[in-house]
Amino acid sequence: MATKNADIVFLMDASESMAPCFRQVCDNINTLLEQPQLKSFNIHLGLLAHCMPNYNTYRFQSLTMANPIDLIYQPHMQNRVRDELFTTDVSKFRCKLGSITPQGDEDTLCALDTACDFPFRPLQITQRVIILLTDEKFEDGLNGDSSCRKVSAIIEKLQNRNITIWGALPESQAAMELSTADRSDFEFLQNAHDGLRNFDFQNFFLQLGKTISTRVTQMTAELPYRKGLFGQATWGRTNDTTVIHDLGYRQ
């Protein structure tokens, strides 16, 4: 059987309540990666952890120290973007997760748009997957109402790029709208704000592995899409290169 590709981006809410989720992913990720039906797949892992530590700035962290917004949206960074944002080294992925301190609040839809702009491999030979993990409703995040107005545009981008999105998140109107995207599969949480402490990650990853192994790509070419629906290409930065956009207010 020919080797197939899977690019899997973990989009992780890194707000204050989410520390249990980070531990759970570290403990259970092999449940996904070691499934027999995925042995023929060349799997690359990506990470985008996001929070708003001071309630007025976005902070995105990926697998390296490089600024993920620069990597994705600045033309001069394009020659190194895949090497910085993806890895085949599970130990490196776990180590990065373990180094992140959840803090502040979040704006998950802005982060999802950024994850959609990751440099996935060609769709004809690649299963493109985003795993969205958050314990707060989209509407309750900072800048929630404004972000929720972009859900339909995010759905269009997911579909034009042929991205499968799996999620564990609280049910809400915006989440239900997002769940109408093709190739979406969400588990709605019974308890919000608990960091997915009691979520069954083993079963979640088992089911995702089965989906990756059986899904067939129907598209032959990526359709046009707009990068950076939140204006990420124009964001400024502070001396801390992970803090990349100031909303201009304090809470």
Side-chain angles (χ1 to χ4, degrees):
M1 181 183 297
T3 299
K4 293 173 275 190
N5 299 323
D7 285 349
I8 304 174
V9 176
F10 283 77
L11 176 63
M12 299 190 61
D13 172 357
S15 61
E16 189 170 0
S17 62
M18 285 291 286
C21 180
F22 279 70
R23 292 191 294 271
Q24 285 264 52
V25 171
C26 283
D27 291 345
N28 290 284
I29 190 170
N30 280 350
T31 302
L32 171 62
L33 301 178
E34 294 179 354
Q35 295 183 51
Q37 64 266 32
L38 296 182
K39 291 298 184 182
S40 65
F41 279 75
N42 179 12
I43 297 176
H44 289 190
L45 299 174
L47 172 67
L48 190 64
H50 62 97
C51 66
M52 301 180 74
N54 300 316
Y55 300 97
N56 69 303
T57 54
Y58 288 99
R59 173 173 291 164
F60 290 136
Q61 297 181 73
S62 57
L63 292 171
T64 70
M65 294 300 294
N67 183 338
I69 299 300
D70 275 351
L71 289 170
I72 295 169
Y73 297 106
Q74 298 305 316
H76 69 280
M77 303 290 281
Q78 296 306 299
N79 63 330
R80 48 185 287 215
V81 61
R82 268 207 64 89
D83 290 342
E84 296 281 358
L85 292 178
F86 286 97
T87 186
T88 59
D89 186 342
V90 182
S91 295
K92 177 180 178 180
F93 181 85
R94 282 202 183 100
C95 183
K96 182 62 182 184
L97 281 184
S99 73
I100 294 172
T101 301
Q103 56 187 304
D105 212 315
E106 83 294 309
D107 183 358
T108 297
L109 288 171
C110 178
L112 173 57
D113 176 58
T114 305
C116 288
D117 289 333
F118 264 51
F120 294 97
R121 285 175 288 181
L123 64 82
Q124 299 90 337
I125 57 171
T126 307
Q127 295 289 338
R128 299 170 165 187
V129 181
I130 294 174
I131 300 174
L132 185 159
L133 302 171
T134 182
D135 68 350
E136 186 165 14
K137 294 179 180 180
F138 295 147
E139 292 88 343
D140 293 341
L142 288 178
N143 214 28
D145 290 342
S146 175
S147 295
C148 287
R149 288 194 287 271
K150 293 184 170 66
V151 170
S152 60
I154 293 172
I155 290 173
E156 181 178 5
K157 184 187 292 191
L158 286 163
Q159 296 180 165
N160 286 358
R161 301 208 70 197
N162 202 50
I163 298 171
T164 294
I165 179 168
W166 274 56
L169 66 164
E171 184 174 351
S172 72
Q173 182 176 343
M176 291 299 293
E177 182 181 358
L178 186 62
S179 73
T180 65
D182 295 342
R183 298 174 300 279
S184 65
D185 196 320
F186 291 167
E187 289 198 31
F188 292 120
L189 305 174
Q190 298 298 315
N191 299 312
H193 309 293
D194 71 347
L196 284 73
R197 186 182 307 274
N198 298 311
F199 184 69
D200 188 352
F201 276 94
Q202 281 201 345
N203 183 63
F204 182 76
F205 286 151
L206 282 171
Q207 296 306 316
L208 175 57
K210 292 176 183 177
T211 297
I212 292 172
S213 67
T214 58
R215 181 153 287 166
V216 176
T217 300
Q218 302 293 336
M219 296 173 65
T220 58
E222 189 174 83
L223 298 177
Y225 68 97
R226 178 186 163 196
K227 292 185 74 171
L229 297 174
F230 292 76
Q232 291 95 316
T234 65
W235 287 1
R237 289 171 297 281
T238 70
N239 290 331
D240 177 354
T241 59
T242 63
V243 179
I244 48 187
H245 188 49
D246 194 324
L247 293 178
Y249 63 82
R250 296 289 187 271
Q251 185 172 45

